[in-house]
Amino acid sequence: MNTTTQPDVSTLSFEQAVEELERIVSALERGDVALDKSIEIYERGEALKKHCEALLKAAEDRIEKIRLDRAGKPQGVEPLDAD
Amino acid sequence: MCWPSAKGAVKEAMASFFDSDSPSNLTEYSVSELSGSIKRTVEQAFDQVRVRGEISGYRGPHSSGHAYFALKDDRARIDAVIWKGTFSRLRFRPEEGMEVIATGKVTTFPGSSKYQIVIESMEPAGAGALMALLEERKRKLAAEGLFDAGRKRPLPYMPKVIGVVTSPTGAVIRDILHRIADRFPVHVVVWPVRVQGDGSGDEVAAAIRGFNAIEPGGAMARPDVLIVARGGGSLEDLWGFNDEAVVRAAAASEIPLISAVGHETDWTLIDYAADQRAPTPTGAAEMAVPVKADLEAAISGLSARLKAAVGRQMDNRRQAVRSLARALPSLDQLLALPRRRFDEAALGLGRGLQMNTANKRRQFERVSTELRADLLKGKLSDRRQRIADFMNRAERIVERQVHRGEARVSAADAALRTLPSRLLGQIHRATDRVAGLAARSDAAVRADVRRLRSVIVAQDRILQSLSYRNVLQRGFALVRDAEGGPVRQAAAVTAGMALSLEFADGRVSAIAGEGSGEPVPQPPTPRKKQSKSPEPSGETPKQGTLF
């Protein structure tokens, strides 16, 4: 559940998402959140967690090398085999 | 020492030169022969020399790839050249004013007979000299603010693309890739450069600028962070990373840049301009990416804490509700106090009644002991006496009432006896009044009739005087038309029109003649004297019948 005051979870960077998730967790752990609010922020926490996991999963494992022409200008990329 | 031998060679050559001819018959050489001879001599004598001097007039390699400059000290200078092939093997880049030790051979060109040293290898004249140069350059660039802490930008926490500027082969790129793969496999783009030798600085600078030139969202991935890396080496090996162009490119890079050049103890100028300096290429990889497993663990830890916390929240609240519910008194408890009061009161009610009854009984017993027959007797005779007194008084009152009644009856009786005569008198008086009133009424009516009659007579007289008939009496006639309407004007009469003439004594029909004026002579109807109409005379008796 997204409240209008908070930015959409999907626009957050990993760091921002983790930071907010930490805030939510510690607020809930302190236990000073109103009941209905606690449900709401719990749901946002879940969404943040999903977003973080998606960001982690999205990382692309790819290694490329810039291909240069004679003038030293990049022409494109090709796979790099470093070993 | 080659100098003595060289001198000897020259002497030898000179000797042969002079031996061939007497002063008078000197052998004649062509210039080419002489130059060639000198060249041979010089090259033989200075085939391998090592010379220390300061680079002067250095303008970088010529377009051909060769470099021409001079070496000098405080008293002399010698032209120097580094051929293209040698130049690319130099471990550092020559610079103006740099003190170097060059190894090579001296040669001349027969074309101009100038001699020069062809340098085959060259190195800075001791680390001190290079260090001094480095310090000087560092001071200059620092003065421009390129190393300011305010210019440093934070590295992205989780880069999607990492650009690496280094040699595509060798341990450095392998270490970086391995470490990145271990921590957080992401997209790595390598910009291959030479990391050593002349021109390496330019390549590194071009690579940094090239990465920055990649448009976001273009065909090539624009890195979120750059690593400029090279393995360890001597000061000369790393010299390319002290290149001013490299430092400027690193400082100008919009993409955050990590430098990892040489070992931890090796500082190059790019390290000062970079946003972060890593001690090793591996260290740079660690700075560039977080450990994915750690992040995942942190996320799942947070997730677990989130669930636990919200669960605990619910438990706490449930607990709170439960204990509050417990604290809420039961209905029995709530009613206990009033009930107890009620019970006590109810109990007291019975007891109170008994006590009250007992009290009353005691009171009654106390009173009843005083209740004796003689007491009652005394009271009775007392009452009897009072009753007798009442009786006497009542009798007297009744007697008085009777006497008063008898007197009122006899008085009424006497009054009744006189009543007929009183009534008779009243009747007489009434009869007299009626007779009087009748007489007065008659008189009044008669007087009224008289008065009214005289009024009528007077009115009639006035009426008679106003009637047109009176005019007729005076000899006038009233002309009427056929319909009986009066004709007032001669113009209204046409010839032959039927008319009626009314005189005082009756009506005559007439026909209007032609013209106007005098009537045709015809014996006019003699005007009869109208006697008084019998009608008015007949009115009076009629009126009399009204009364």
Side-chain angles (χ1 to χ4, degrees):
Chain A
M1 173 161 50
N2 288 325
T3 58
T4 48
T5 51
Q6 285 169 309
D8 189 11
V9 167
S10 60
T11 63
L12 298 178
S13 75
F14 182 85
E15 258 180 308
Q16 290 169 322
V18 170
E19 207 180 296
E20 196 185 335
L21 181 56
E22 280 169 344
R23 263 205 313 279
I24 285 175
V25 167
S26 54
L28 281 177
E29 284 179 339
R30 275 199 311 278
D32 52 3
V33 189
L35 186 64
D36 53 350
K37 182 78 181 164
S38 75
I39 302 294
E40 186 184 311
I41 68 171
Y42 170 77
E43 282 169 355
R44 188 165 168 87
E46 282 279 289
L48 288 167
K49 176 205 139 194
K50 279 205 187 71
H51 179 57
C52 287
E53 284 172 344
L55 283 179
L56 287 174
K57 222 169 261 155
E60 207 178 352
D61 182 9
R62 185 146 59 110
I63 295 164
E64 290 172 337
K65 186 175 84 168
I66 298 275
R67 199 171 59 240
L68 298 171
D69 63 6
R70 285 181 167 275
K73 295 270 175 264
Q75 289 300 100
V77 290
E78 61 194 14
L80 171 79
D81 187 11
D83 294 281
Chain B
M1 285 295 282
C2 61
W3 291 106
S5 70
K7 273 179 189 160
V10 171
K11 268 183 192 155
E12 219 171 82
M14 294 297 278
S16 67
F17 187 80
F18 290 121
D19 284 349
S20 59
D21 277 309
S22 61
S24 56
N25 56 354
L26 284 175
T27 312
E28 215 176 79
Y29 287 96
S30 67
V31 176
S32 298
E33 285 168 341
L34 179 59
S35 298
S37 179
I38 291 170
K39 178 177 165 70
R40 271 194 309 278
T41 308
V42 169
E43 284 181 359
Q44 275 168 19
F46 305 103
D47 180 39
Q48 182 76 22
V49 293
R50 196 172 152 82
V51 59
R52 182 184 184 124
E54 185 182 305
I55 293 176
S56 171
Y58 180 80
R59 284 178 299 277
H62 192 259
S63 60
S64 61
H66 314 311
Y68 305 97
F69 53 99
L71 293 175
K72 67 170 189 183
D73 60 17
D74 52 350
R75 285 190 303 275
R77 57 177 285 140
I78 179 173
D79 287 341
V81 60
I82 306 177
W83 303 127
K84 186 181 171 185
T86 313
F87 193 87
S88 61
R89 286 199 308 276
L90 283 182
R91 295 202 303 178
F92 72 103
R93 186 174 174 148
E95 277 174 49
E96 177 72 14
M98 186 185 274
E99 194 169 3
V100 293
I101 297 167
T103 306
K105 62 181 182 188
V106 178
T107 181
T108 74
F109 288 106
S112 64
S113 283
K114 284 181 177 170
Y115 64 88
Q116 63 191 352
I117 179 168
V118 176
I119 295 170
E120 275 145 18
S121 74
M122 187 168 74
E123 58 201 59
L130 267 190
M131 288 307 286
L133 190 74
L134 191 60
E135 281 306 316
E136 172 57 32
R137 190 180 298 165
K138 182 179 162 189
R139 201 160 44 244
K140 182 181 116 191
L141 295 175
E144 285 183 34
L146 295 185
F147 305 152
D148 286 355
R151 293 179 63 104
K152 313 280 183 207
R153 268 142 323 141
L155 303 180
Y157 185 69
M158 213 173 76
K160 288 193 172 63
V161 180
I162 298 175
V164 183
V165 178
T166 191
S167 165
T169 56
V172 170
I173 186 63
R174 217 163 47 232
D175 288 351
I176 290 174
L177 292 178
H178 278 161
R179 187 50 60 101
I180 287 175
D182 285 349
R183 291 169 68 88
F184 199 142
V186 290
H187 187 180
V188 178
V189 181
V190 179
W191 192 299
V193 291
R194 284 185 294 136
V195 292
Q196 186 170 341
D198 187 61
S200 64
D202 285 338
E203 285 189 18
V204 171
I208 294 171
R209 284 194 299 268
F211 269 138
N212 275 283
I214 295 174
E215 294 293 330
M220 282 187 285
R222 178 182 165 94
D224 304 312
V225 63
L226 294 183
I227 298 175
V228 179
R230 191 209 186 281
S234 67
L235 182 63
E236 292 81 3
D237 290 340
L238 306 182
W239 195 251
F241 294 90
N242 291 320
D243 196 309
E244 195 170 321
V246 171
V247 175
R248 289 190 187 283
S253 175
E254 284 168 20
I255 305 172
L257 187 144
I258 305 170
S259 72
V261 176
H263 295 123
E264 187 161 7
T265 49
D266 301 328
W267 278 82
T268 53
L269 292 185
I270 192 177
D271 293 331
Y272 296 103
D275 296 300
Q276 281 273 356
R277 188 236 174 189
T280 59
T282 306
E286 286 169 0
M287 282 178 185
V289 290
V291 179
K292 190 180 181 183
D294 287 355
L295 296 183
E296 284 166 345
I299 294 299
S300 59
L302 279 172
S303 172
R305 277 170 64 195
L306 183 69
K307 282 197 175 67
V310 82
R312 202 161 49 244
Q313 284 252 326
M314 295 304 146
D315 284 348
N316 288 346
R317 285 185 162 88
R318 204 170 289 131
Q319 185 61 41
V321 169
R322 223 180 279 134
S323 48
L324 277 174
R326 262 202 298 278
L328 198 67
S330 71
L331 203 60
D332 279 355
Q333 283 172 312
L334 212 58
L335 292 178
L337 214 67
R339 180 179 295 282
R340 196 174 144 195
R341 276 182 65 188
F342 164 73
D343 286 350
E344 279 174 3
L347 215 69
L349 186 67
R351 209 168 49 230
L353 188 64
Q354 283 170 4
M355 275 168 67
N356 199 39
T357 311
N359 265 345
K360 295 293 175 196
R361 183 182 298 280
R362 266 201 304 284
Q363 225 174 337
F364 164 72
E365 279 165 359
R366 199 169 58 237
V367 172
S368 66
T369 51
E370 290 167 9
L371 188 67
R372 292 184 309 274
D374 55 340
L375 214 102
L376 197 59
K377 216 179 279 171
K379 271 197 176 158
L380 275 177
S381 64
D382 221 34
R383 292 283 157 90
R384 195 171 289 146
Q385 183 57 47
R386 278 172 67 189
I387 290 170
D389 286 353
F390 276 132
M391 292 300 283
N392 284 340
R393 276 166 62 195
E395 257 172 51
R396 278 198 299 275
I397 288 167
V398 168
E399 268 169 29
R400 265 203 307 275
Q401 292 281 351
V402 170
H403 284 310
R404 220 175 283 150
E406 276 171 359
R408 280 172 67 188
V409 168
S410 58
D413 184 49
L416 275 177
R417 273 175 223 280
T418 62
L419 189 61
S421 59
R422 260 165 43 211
L423 284 176
L424 216 60
Q426 275 183 10
I427 291 168
H428 285 311
R429 276 195 302 279
T431 313
D432 290 350
R433 276 180 71 193
V434 168
L437 283 171
R440 281 164 64 191
S441 172
D442 272 0
V445 168
R446 255 177 245 127
D448 239 17
V449 168
R450 275 194 304 276
R451 189 173 53 82
L452 285 172
R453 188 176 292 154
S454 71
V455 168
I456 291 166
V457 171
Q459 290 293 322
D460 184 52
R461 218 170 283 141
I462 294 168
L463 183 65
Q464 292 298 329
S465 72
L466 290 176
S467 172
Y468 72 95
R469 288 198 179 95
N470 287 342
V471 181
L472 299 185
Q473 295 279 357
R474 294 207 306 265
F476 294 92
L478 174 61
V479 183
R480 297 179 192 265
D481 58 17
E483 282 81 35
V487 179
R488 294 169 193 271
Q489 289 167 317
V493 180
T494 53
M497 183 176 171
L499 298 170
S500 153
L501 306 178
E502 184 180 352
F503 297 94
D505 55 349
R507 296 189 182 193
V508 175
S509 293
I511 302 291
E514 296 284 333
S516 61
E518 293 301 314
V520 279
Q522 207 174 15
T525 320
R527 270 180 71 180
K528 291 182 196 160
K529 257 303 191 207
Q530 172 80 33
S531 63
K532 193 97 166 139
S533 152
E535 288 152 336
S537 59
E539 273 176 354
T540 314
K542 267 186 201 161
Q543 275 188 344
T545 62
L546 283 171
F547 296 97

